[in-house]
Amino acid sequence: MPTSDHYVIIGNGPAGNAAAFTLRENDPDARITIISHENISFYAKPKLVRYLAGDIDKSALMVKEPDAYLQNNIRLRLGQTVMRIDLQNRCLHLAHMETVQYTRLVIASGSRARLLPSMKPYADCLTFVTEYNDIKGMREKIAAGKHFFVFGGDLVAFKFLKMLTHMKKQVTLLLYPKAFWPHTLTHAMQKTIVDNLARTGAHILVNDDLDTIVPEEQGGYNVTTQQGVKKQADLVFTFNGLIPNVDFARGCGLDIDHGILVDETMRTCLENVFACGSCAQIYNPDLTAYTTSIGWPNAVAQGKVAGLNLAGETCRVQQAGRKYFDLEGVKIKTTWWEDADREDTEGEDTDREGNDRKDADFKNTERKDVECKDTDRDRKTGEKDGR
Amino acid sequence: MKTNGLYSKEEKIFQDKNKLYQAHSVKQIAYSTDPRDFGQVAKSIPCQEACPARTNIPGYIRCINEKRYGRAYELNRGANIMPGVLGRICSRPCETACRHGAPDNGVSVGICHLKRACADLKSPMHRIIEGLYAPSGKSVAVVGSGPAGLAAAHDLAILGHRAVVFETMEKPGGMLMYGIPEFRLPRDLLMTEINNILRLGVELKTGQAVGTHITLETLTREFDAVVVAAGCTKPRLLGVEGEDLENVYNGLDFMKQINKLIGDKLIGDRPQLINRINSGQSPIDRQINRGLSPIKKINWGLSPIKNVAVIGGGFTAVDCARSAIRLGAEQVTLYIRKTMDDMRIDETEKHEARFEGIGVESLVQPARILGENGRVSGIEFVRTRIETTEKPPYKKSVPIAGSEFVVPCDSVIAALGQAPDAHDVSDALTGLDKDSPATGMKGVFAAGDFVTGSTDVISAIAGGRRTALAVDLYLTAMERKKTVVRLESHATTDRPRSYDFIDRVPMNTIAMDQRLADHTREVETGFDPDQALAESRRCYLCSLKYEIDPLRCIYCSACIDVAPKDCIKMVETIPVNADGTYGRYVETGQWDRVVSITIDNEACIRCGQCYEVCPMDCISVTKTELIQMDMDE
Ligand SMILES: Cc1cc2nc3c(=O)[nH]c(=O)nc-3n(C[C@H](O)[C@H](O)[C@H](O)COP(=O)(O)OP(=O)(O)OC[C@H]3O[C@@H](n4cnc5c(N)ncnc54)[C@H](O)[C@@H]3O)c2cc1C
Ligand code: SF4
Ligand code: SF4
């Protein structure tokens, strides 16, 4: 493949990194750039909550330090936001008015917090925990604060709630049965969850909704629910699931539904544009449904396939089947979630294993996730032989 | 609101300067029919170009900014006839085109909300202005009182002709009255604006179905011309097994029935409505079902609507879904064949639907409707994928083999849109052409959805107006109006840069319990004057054209240095297109080839920075407006 080709990857999460490093393994000369709007190297989002709670420090959050990119000759552009994709001219428009040309593009822009329509008017009062940027300065505020309000009820919310109560903070959780998107909790499920969570000492509200959030002058918020519950909180958090982060790609000509539509080679409707990880939407024949693959292992598997296909192979991603996992005593069946931070919460000594474990998630996803079909390669033989 | 009633220091300085300029400036006005000026206006003012009725959007927004609501309303009415209605339910093609919503410029101006604001905030004693021509002695029959028919009748009346509107239903308004739910469009407001048209001497004959009560041929004999604006009534079918089961409704019929019940004041609030429906007391209007639907059994005496599947993703589908919620449905889901992005409704509407708890399942199509004892029990869907094609429609949905799945539901509303049915009016009516107001029958013209297929209210109004002009030409053999570009020198840039950073003002709405308590209560409640002012400030006023005088320019490039966009270009040539308009600038980076430094009014956001810094004062501002003039003026 000619070295003048420029492979640009939007996103520095597990999918983007898997794509970049897989491509590097298969093409030592490729010119590779990763663009990410966050000003931090590759880190483990699943650990954000523990970092927030002061449980781990920043170094334990990191998966790859900038050196790894230097060594692998991958250009890492941090703190740069892609505003728009121009497919016709094969370039990206960045927020600081620079344009970046690409030959092949991988969109791995991940997901962002789902904001419920009823919460839209109060967006400015809410704290999200979806990326490092969101939580800068929050660690100190949490340490200093006493009362917290949590809306939602996804897995991260429960984990967070437990951490706060463990820190002897007073927490009110307003549980939304629809928060665990795309699953809606039944009454029975909800009851089990509430019973389990109540043991933490948190105040759990159900069958209620947000009425108003009023910021106080000296900091903090007054939260009122529709049932008339009034709470003062130092911070108000919301956890209502994640949605693909693809707004910047809308209107550029790619087919976008909830996420960017891709086939099992992670190709979009255009030959030279790929999407993988949480921002991609793919049909899963086993489930006869589309999924936006929120979840670390899926992101890595898809990133690898994108990387291999960028390098000229024709590989198909093998879709994950459904797995059960435990949501506060309720078994939920999903394809997309695996508690990537599970071992840690079970009390393993992470400091001891340190760096080894950081990369473990990444390395463990071996080629078994990837199925290469020789027949499919024919189309690409020319390119492959040339390499 | 950031800007409510308060003026920053920067704004105050700007306003003082503005006053000074106005005191010293002498208005210079010119009228042009030069194709280059038409081309410039089209490119410069994208919102107006996108509005089928060519509403002078920056003009009325500026009036709102000056709190001249009545003038803003009249500027609207002059183009789109029913601003209060459109300010609520327009499909807003202008907002999609608005420069403020272009990449990197933020979010489009709330053009439609501002239209509503001027209608709401104008004086209750507001005087409408109409310039009536002398009576012509000619008469025109208009078939249909939807927006297209009403617009045609309005213009024909103004042009001096007697206009008589024949309407099948009991009330005028077409889809405005019987399609769009009252919670989006209050009927008293609708009637006020319809009455403004009828006050011009337009005669309205309701309960008169042309093709049933009176024939088209009779009309052609009794009138000098006929305009058929009968809309689209023939529903598109699902074409799947089970479509004839009970509880399978056609979307338009569903809306018509609800609106008719409310219109007849049989129902006021939700519980009553449910009772009516469930007890089967509502009279089934034979007109409604007269051959319009293959699913003829709209029988409200059926089991309650609880779990509703709405097939389709357009305005009708969403209105059906939102109405079903108000009928007491517990779960309502929209099923669409393509992607969420392909839904043909605007973001506000999507938001309201989501807010009311309506789900959307995309990339699916029904394979069959399942039934038990003649009633719907569920739908089998098949997933689809998007396939790109070489020719239009370029994107089509294709079923994925083996992807079938079943969802349980008790009612299905098929809202796939509808097509016109010319045979309903007359078998002799042929030669319909969406690009021409004329038909195959002499003296018979057509307008609105009837000739274009389903579009939207604003396109129908624009179509009605175009047809009225064609009828006038046919009746009088005179062209009476011409469009010209009015150019007025403008001494200032009219707005400070800080206005570009004002956030879009969200629409006020009522809470969910109020929506459910009163079925007909309008969900959106409009802007107060402060909100209207803040939103009006956001408009760039794209009708202001910025130009650099090449004879005075010293090529210092000071303007290029301050420009916030790629708006000032070093140009080698400006080609002229075949139609006489200017083409795309040919830019150059080589100074020896530069023939002029030119402002690209397509990229310009009218910030005025260049105007401020130019040491030679060679940047001028001109207000450019499309206006209609009498031929003999
Ligand atoms: C608090 C939390 C806890 C989680 N816990 C778990 C768990 O226990 N188990 C599990 O399996 N998954 C978990 N997840 C989900 C998991 O982290 C994600 O599935 C995974 O990160 C998705 O990978 P991705 O590469 O697709 O996107 P992301 O990791 O989200 O990365 C997206 C990248 O794109 C960049 N980007 C986005 N837009 C732009 C733009 N316009 N310009 C430039 N750069 C851009 C971002 O800066 C970021 O670098 C959790 C997520 C969160 C937020
Ligand atoms: S900024 Fe104003 S004039 Fe310009 S396109 Fe938008 S609404 Fe129209
Ligand atoms: S007013 Fe001048 S500087 Fe401002 S956007 Fe327009 S051309 Fe550019």
Side-chain angles (χ1 to χ4, degrees):
Chain A
M1 207 159 287
T3 45
S4 61
D5 280 354
H6 188 196
Y7 299 86
V8 178
I9 295 157
I10 305 175
N12 189 30
N17 275 280
F21 283 84
T22 306
L23 174 61
R24 173 56 74 234
E25 272 169 33
N26 288 274
D27 186 348
D29 303 322
R31 186 178 155 217
I32 307 174
T33 302
I34 295 180
I35 305 178
S36 169
H37 82 274
E38 280 204 277
N39 232 327
I40 175 171
S41 190
F42 181 20
Y43 66 97
K45 280 192 176 180
K47 292 184 182 170
L48 276 180
V49 173
R50 297 183 54 213
Y51 171 73
L52 251 187
D55 216 22
I56 54 170
D57 63 14
K58 194 170 165 191
S59 70
L61 194 63
M62 303 311 297
V63 180
K64 269 190 204 302
E65 299 291 351
D67 265 1
Y69 299 88
L70 263 181
Q71 281 158 17
N72 283 283
N73 189 22
I74 293 172
R75 175 138 193 246
L76 189 57
R77 284 169 161 240
L78 297 179
Q80 305 193 355
T81 307
V82 176
M83 300 298 288
R84 183 160 61 93
I85 304 175
D86 180 347
L87 294 174
Q88 216 171 9
N89 297 310
R90 297 189 174 199
C91 68
L92 306 175
H93 292 258
L94 306 188
H96 58 274
M97 294 180 86
E98 184 188 348
T99 53
V100 175
Q101 297 285 337
Y102 65 82
T103 326
R104 290 180 177 210
L105 177 67
V106 179
I107 306 172
S109 52
S111 47
R112 59 182 171 81
R114 191 165 70 111
L115 183 64
L116 298 180
S118 61
M119 293 203 174
K120 237 181 174 175
Y122 306 104
D124 289 348
C125 304
L126 300 170
T127 302
F128 304 92
V129 187
T130 33
E131 55 179 45
Y132 185 75
N133 270 355
D134 293 336
I135 58 152
K136 270 189 209 148
M138 287 291 156
R139 225 163 113 107
E140 294 70 26
K141 279 194 187 166
I142 289 178
K146 280 202 183 98
H147 305 272
F148 299 94
F149 205 107
V150 178
F151 285 109
D154 63 14
L155 194 82
V156 188
F158 300 155
K159 185 180 277 187
F160 186 53
L161 180 134
K162 284 183 174 170
M163 300 221 160
L164 290 176
T165 49
H166 187 69
M167 292 165 79
K168 306 269 179 287
K169 309 286 181 190
Q170 291 189 12
V171 191
T172 309
L173 169 74
L174 199 162
L175 184 70
Y176 279 127
K178 287 192 179 169
F180 199 75
W181 180 85
H183 296 272
T184 300
L185 301 179
T186 61
H187 287 304
M189 284 169 155
Q190 188 171 308
K191 189 172 175 326
T192 318
I193 291 171
V194 170
D195 290 348
N196 265 349
L197 289 177
R199 277 186 229 133
T200 62
H203 183 192
I204 318 277
L205 305 172
V206 287
N207 304 329
D208 201 352
D209 203 347
L210 169 68
D211 189 22
T212 53
I213 307 179
V214 182
E216 287 175 332
E217 256 175 38
Q218 65 278 22
Y221 303 88
N222 277 315
V223 185
T224 312
T225 73
Q226 291 189 354
Q227 301 289 340
V229 179
K230 286 189 193 312
K231 288 276 172 187
Q232 195 279 333
D234 296 303
L235 287 171
V236 184
F237 293 92
T238 168
F239 298 90
N240 285 293
L242 302 169
I243 54 169
N245 178 20
V246 291
D247 282 348
F248 69 96
R250 287 197 194 274
C252 75
L254 292 175
D255 290 335
I256 302 182
D257 184 38
H258 297 280
I260 299 170
L261 293 175
V262 291
D263 62 14
E264 59 274 75
T265 68
M266 306 322 292
R267 269 199 185 80
T268 64
C269 59
L270 286 184
E271 178 73 12
N272 66 328
V273 181
F274 295 74
C276 52
S278 299
C279 67
Q281 181 173 335
I282 187 167
Y283 178 71
N284 184 332
D286 292 338
L287 309 175
T288 62
Y290 279 94
T291 51
T292 44
S293 86
I294 296 172
W296 190 285
N298 282 333
V300 174
Q302 294 189 351
K304 285 195 166 195
V305 172
L308 285 168
N309 289 335
L310 278 176
E313 310 228 7
T314 301
C315 300
R316 293 166 191 278
V317 73
Q318 211 169 56
Q319 307 254 16
R322 279 194 214 266
K323 280 187 202 135
Y324 283 99
F325 76 92
D326 187 72
L327 177 73
E328 297 309 317
V330 171
K331 285 235 174 297
I332 298 252
K333 202 177 181 189
T334 161
T335 55
W336 49 267
W337 194 277
E338 209 168 85
D339 194 356
D341 198 24
R342 194 179 43 217
E343 300 92 322
D344 302 342
T345 46
E346 282 168 4
E348 266 194 24
D349 183 357
T350 44
D351 284 343
R352 182 172 47 81
E353 294 194 6
N355 288 332
D356 278 345
R357 268 216 62 245
K358 278 184 215 160
D359 243 1
D361 297 334
F362 184 69
K363 282 181 190 146
N364 281 345
T365 321
E366 279 310 323
R367 277 287 184 97
K368 64 176 162 37
D369 289 317
V370 173
E371 195 190 353
C372 284
K373 288 200 177 137
D374 284 341
T375 45
D376 286 330
R377 283 192 184 171
D378 295 346
R379 201 157 47 95
K380 295 270 167 186
T381 323
E383 281 178 33
K384 255 186 86 61
D385 288 351
R387 230 173 358 108
Chain B
M1 206 110 345
K2 283 181 188 160
T3 49
N4 268 3
L6 300 170
Y7 294 99
S8 68
K9 196 172 154 202
E10 183 198 357
E11 287 165 326
K12 281 228 179 70
I13 294 172
F14 173 80
Q15 283 171 344
D16 292 346
K17 258 202 236 167
N18 206 6
K19 273 186 209 138
L20 206 70
Y21 282 136
Q22 278 172 357
H24 294 289
S25 66
V26 181
K27 278 188 181 170
Q28 290 176 332
I29 298 171
Y31 298 94
S32 160
T33 50
D34 189 324
R36 284 171 300 185
D37 286 317
F38 284 110
Q40 181 271 321
V41 167
K43 281 185 184 163
S44 279
I45 320 176
C47 53
Q48 181 171 20
E49 181 64 10
C51 172
R54 299 285 182 275
T55 307
N56 179 354
I57 294 164
Y60 84 72
I61 294 184
R62 181 71 203 171
C63 287
I64 293 175
N65 187 270
E66 292 164 355
K67 301 203 163 118
R68 295 163 66 212
Y69 306 121
R71 173 77 187 135
Y73 184 75
E74 285 309 306
L75 271 180
N76 263 293
R77 237 174 41 78
N80 56 50
I81 304 182
M82 306 176 94
V85 168
L86 287 162
R88 286 164 169 86
I89 53 86
C90 187
S91 59
R92 308 166 191 190
C94 56
E95 290 189 17
T96 314
C98 169
R99 180 158 293 127
H100 212 314
D104 312 342
N105 284 356
V107 185
S108 73
V109 173
I111 301 173
C112 195
H113 291 164
L114 284 170
K115 192 190 308 296
R116 174 185 172 151
C118 69
D120 288 355
L121 298 172
K122 68 182 187 314
S123 155
M125 305 304 289
H126 173 72
R127 176 167 62 110
I128 61 168
I129 302 162
E130 296 284 16
L132 301 181
Y133 289 81
S136 66
K138 306 278 184 190
S139 65
V140 185
V142 178
V143 182
S145 69
L150 286 171
H154 171 273
D155 281 16
L156 289 165
I158 300 251
L159 291 162
H161 312 302
R162 176 178 163 241
V164 184
V165 182
F166 292 83
E167 169 58 55
T168 305
M169 303 297 282
E170 283 162 33
K171 290 184 181 169
M175 293 295 172
L176 297 174
M177 184 65 81
Y178 290 104
I180 297 174
E182 189 159 1
F183 63 81
R184 287 211 291 134
L185 178 61
R187 297 303 190 253
D188 51 351
L189 173 269
L190 171 62
M191 278 318 297
T192 304
E193 292 200 329
I194 292 181
N195 280 326
N196 279 344
I197 297 167
L198 300 181
R199 282 158 71 192
L200 299 170
V202 172
E203 290 163 51
L204 174 68
K205 291 185 190 292
T206 55
Q208 295 287 308
V210 175
T212 309
H213 300 112
I214 184 164
T215 64
L216 183 63
E217 290 68 20
T218 313
L219 294 183
T220 54
R221 277 197 303 277
E222 290 179 3
F223 292 86
D224 297 302
V226 182
V227 175
V228 184
C232 282
T233 47
K234 201 167 68 182
R236 284 207 188 88
L237 304 185
L238 287 170
V240 299
E241 185 190 320
E243 194 164 8
D244 53 353
L245 288 166
E246 276 184 29
N247 297 25
V248 178
Y249 307 109
N250 153 253
L252 184 55
D253 289 350
F254 183 82
M255 287 315 301
K256 272 186 173 174
Q257 184 68 2
I258 290 177
N259 287 324
K260 190 165 171 357
L261 286 171
I262 294 167
D264 291 348
K265 296 285 178 251
L266 288 173
I267 44 169
D269 53 25
R270 189 171 69 107
Q272 249 180 307
L273 179 58
I274 294 167
N275 289 341
R276 284 285 165 194
I277 285 172
N278 297 340
S279 62
Q281 287 173 25
S282 60
I284 297 174
D285 186 325
R286 297 216 349 267
Q287 290 300 350
I288 295 176
N289 290 323
R290 187 182 54 88
L292 301 184
S293 159
I295 315 146
K296 290 198 178 81
K297 307 174 225 124
I298 286 204
N299 180 353
W300 298 106
L302 296 178
S303 53
I305 289 179
K306 265 203 177 141
N307 184 348
V308 186
V310 183
I311 320 276
F315 277 106
T316 313
V318 176
D319 281 344
C320 288
R322 296 182 69 188
S323 299
I325 289 275
R326 286 161 175 76
L327 290 180
E330 282 161 17
Q331 196 175 340
V332 182
T333 310
L334 291 165
Y335 292 90
I336 58 176
R337 270 193 316 161
K338 291 191 186 166
T339 64
M340 302 288 285
D341 275 15
D342 292 318
M343 278 182 85
R344 286 163 287 125
I345 57 166
D346 65 73
E347 283 306 315
T348 330
E349 203 59 17
K350 272 189 201 169
H351 170 79
E352 290 308 326
R354 267 201 302 258
F355 183 82
E356 291 177 6
I358 293 158
V360 184
E361 182 92 43
S362 46
L363 294 166
V364 293
Q365 74 182 49
R368 64 196 171 110
I369 303 174
L370 311 172
E372 274 167 28
N373 308 324
R375 301 256 179 98
V376 173
S377 62
I379 309 188
E380 182 178 290
F381 284 102
V382 55
R383 304 249 177 223
T384 60
R385 62 187 167 78
I386 300 296
E387 205 172 82
T388 308
T389 56
E390 294 277 296
K391 287 191 207 125
Y394 301 112
K395 298 277 177 195
K396 65 173 186 187
S397 62
V398 188
I400 301 177
S403 65
E404 293 77 8
F405 65 101
V406 172
V407 289
C409 61
D410 55 43
S411 317
V412 175
I413 304 174
L416 304 181
Q418 39 279 331
D421 191 352
H423 297 298
D424 225 28
V425 179
S426 165
D427 285 337
L429 185 52
T430 53
L432 294 172
D433 171 2
K434 70 176 170 38
D435 297 321
S436 154
T439 70
M441 277 174 93
K442 191 170 183 301
V444 178
F445 297 79
D449 282 6
F450 182 75
V451 64
T452 55
S454 4
T455 55
D456 46 32
V457 176
I458 187 65
S459 304
I461 289 181
R465 302 202 64 183
R466 241 188 335 269
T467 302
L469 278 182
V471 173
D472 183 59
L473 181 64
Y474 168 77
L475 294 177
T476 64
M478 276 193 299
E479 240 182 290
R480 293 214 244 178
K481 293 186 177 200
K482 63 179 175 211
T483 308
V484 299
V485 179
R486 181 181 185 277
L487 302 156
E488 179 187 327
S489 67
H490 209 77
T492 75
T493 58
D494 257 1
R495 56 195 286 284
R497 174 87 168 121
S498 57
Y499 287 2
D500 294 348
F501 305 104
I502 299 174
D503 287 339
R504 181 169 163 145
V505 180
M507 175 47 67
N508 303 317
T509 54
I510 58 170
M512 195 62 204
D513 50 352
Q514 291 169 312
R515 299 183 191 192
L516 292 179
D518 181 354
H519 187 274
T520 57
R521 183 148 166 199
E522 191 178 12
V523 168
E524 299 188 342
T525 53
F527 283 163
D528 65 27
D530 284 345
Q531 289 175 310
L533 176 68
E535 189 58 36
S536 71
R537 284 175 173 168
R538 297 185 65 240
C539 172
Y540 293 146
L541 303 175
C542 298
S543 52
L544 298 182
K545 176 174 72 163
Y546 283 63
E547 274 172 313
I548 298 176
D549 181 350
L551 298 177
R552 284 161 73 187
C553 175
I554 54 167
Y555 296 87
C556 70
S557 76
C559 55
I560 297 182
D561 293 343
V562 296
K565 302 280 156 189
D566 184 17
C567 48
I568 306 183
K569 299 193 164 143
M570 300 202 292
V571 174
E572 202 178 319
T573 22
I574 306 179
V576 178
N577 297 331
D579 63 0
T581 60
Y582 282 128
R584 283 225 151 263
Y585 299 126
V586 180
E587 290 179 65
T588 175
Q590 284 171 260
W591 274 109
D592 56 343
R593 305 186 74 146
V594 175
V595 292
S596 79
I597 295 192
T598 301
I599 294 180
D600 178 353
N601 275 281
E602 273 186 85
C604 168
I605 58 165
R606 281 73 178 163
C607 74
Q609 314 251 92
C610 54
Y611 182 90
E612 292 286 325
V613 297
C614 177
M616 299 302 292
D617 243 352
C618 63
I619 297 184
S620 64
V621 186
T622 311
K623 185 154 92 183
T624 56
E625 287 175 306
L626 282 185
I627 60 162
Q628 294 262 307
M629 262 186 165
D630 280 349
M631 271 314 209
D632 52 6
E633 206 172 283

